[in-house]
Amino acid sequence: MAAHAGCDCMFRPMEGQPHILVVDDHRDIRELVGRYLGKNGYRVSTADGAPSARKILKSSAIDLVVLDIMMPGEDGLSLCRHLRETTDIPVILLTAMAEETDRIVGLEIGADDYLVKPFNPRELLARIRSVLRRTQALPPSREPKPGPAYRFAGWLLDPGRRELVREDGVAMPLSTGEFRLLVAFLDRPGLVLTRDQLLDITRGREAAPFDRSVDNQVSRLRRKIEPDARNPTLIKTVWGGGYCFSAEVERT
């Protein structure tokens, strides 16, 4: 069972299943929900608050977030608003009986559903299945949302136009896979990313077990952006770990 820093654990019954993130500051609720969803075929990560949830969201492709509203520090509404502004990940809010105003605000800022505490895990499971059916009516998109451009090592990447341009004005074409991989690195400079994490971020449930396409994509990307692809200085291999993007990245 793999562990994330800042979270409890991951319940991973089988690969290829939707990945649910449960965020609640009450450990007993996180563990109960995690075990129950794991027994029903879902991969589950748990987090005790917004900071640890944000770390998991950066390193994993999450398909749905079960999110408690009332948490110390950054509350669930703030995290929900962040998710709506930056992703298409569906959100189910957990609320207390007295939080009617918060439930309304949550729905207004983009939550897909809510459940009042105390709740029956079977009802949560039914709501998760319903929300996933609605949101997955079309194939899930792993395309990064257009946002600010990235500058790094003499290159400019514009996600909106999907253009990679060298400082001398020469444009470098990128395949869909290379574009997704580069954005994954640029969003996480200095962080060691394993092959499994890169597959999860860029391909989600489309990734097959033991998929080696990440290594091929990295090799092709190095040939396009490295001064010397045989001695890479931007995308470094971490033996036994994965890959790390070592250049400074500026968002413009």
Side-chain angles (χ1 to χ4, degrees):
M1 186 176 294
H4 284 277
C7 78
D8 296 320
C9 57
M10 175 183 285
F11 302 83
R12 186 187 290 270
M14 62 186 76
E15 295 296 330
Q17 296 303 307
H19 191 171
I20 311 297
L21 173 60
V22 179
V23 188
D24 197 302
D25 60 311
H26 292 95
R27 187 183 185 91
D28 54 344
I29 294 177
R30 297 195 304 273
E31 293 185 347
L32 171 66
V33 172
R35 284 195 299 267
Y36 186 79
L37 295 180
K39 288 178 181 178
N40 281 275
Y42 292 97
R43 290 183 292 156
V44 184
S45 292
T46 59
D48 60 4
S52 51
R54 287 174 181 266
K55 292 180 182 178
I56 295 172
L57 288 160
K58 274 193 171 185
S59 63
S60 301
I62 299 297
D63 295 290
L64 183 143
V65 178
V66 177
L67 177 60
D68 185 29
I69 287 182
M70 293 296 293
M71 296 186 295
E74 182 182 2
D75 64 16
L77 292 178
S78 173
L79 182 56
C80 181
R81 184 178 294 107
H82 167 74
L83 288 168
R84 283 290 65 79
E85 291 173 350
T86 59
T87 77
D88 294 318
I89 301 173
V91 176
I92 296 178
L93 295 175
L94 301 180
T95 75
M97 288 291 292
E99 296 172 13
E100 182 176 359
T101 300
D102 287 342
R103 291 199 296 273
I104 294 172
V105 172
L107 294 173
E108 288 177 344
I109 64 178
D112 296 85
D113 203 348
Y114 70 88
L115 197 58
V116 176
K117 294 180 178 181
F119 58 87
N120 188 316
R122 290 180 61 186
E123 183 178 0
L124 175 60
L125 177 63
R127 289 176 183 266
I128 288 173
R129 287 172 172 168
S130 176
V131 170
L132 288 176
R133 278 196 301 269
R134 293 200 309 266
T135 58
Q136 294 173 356
L138 296 174
S141 172
R142 295 291 167 188
E143 293 299 322
K145 282 198 168 185
Y150 304 84
R151 289 188 183 275
F152 66 96
W155 292 96
L156 174 68
L157 178 68
D158 184 342
R161 296 182 179 181
R162 293 184 58 156
E163 287 184 348
L164 179 62
V165 182
R166 206 164 57 196
E167 58 188 355
D168 60 3
V170 174
M172 179 64 68
L174 295 175
S175 69
T176 297
E178 291 163 355
F179 172 73
R180 292 176 179 177
L181 183 63
L182 181 56
V183 172
F185 281 129
L186 295 178
D187 278 336
R188 303 160 182 85
L191 182 66
V192 177
L193 297 171
T194 67
R195 292 175 178 84
D196 287 343
Q197 286 175 324
L198 287 168
L199 277 172
D200 204 26
I201 294 166
T202 59
R203 296 182 59 184
R205 294 189 303 279
E206 301 169 10
F210 311 112
D211 194 328
R212 306 300 294 179
S213 64
V214 164
D215 297 316
N216 296 330
Q217 296 279 9
V218 168
S219 295
R220 289 196 291 269
L221 190 56
R222 280 172 167 165
R223 288 197 291 269
K224 292 185 175 183
I225 68 172
E226 294 276 3
D228 180 359
R230 292 170 297 180
N231 298 289
T233 58
L234 302 180
I235 304 174
K236 294 187 176 180
T237 300
V238 180
W239 299 113
Y243 298 100
C244 176
F245 195 80
S246 63
E248 292 188 7
V249 179
E250 177 188 356
R251 302 294 293 270
T252 64

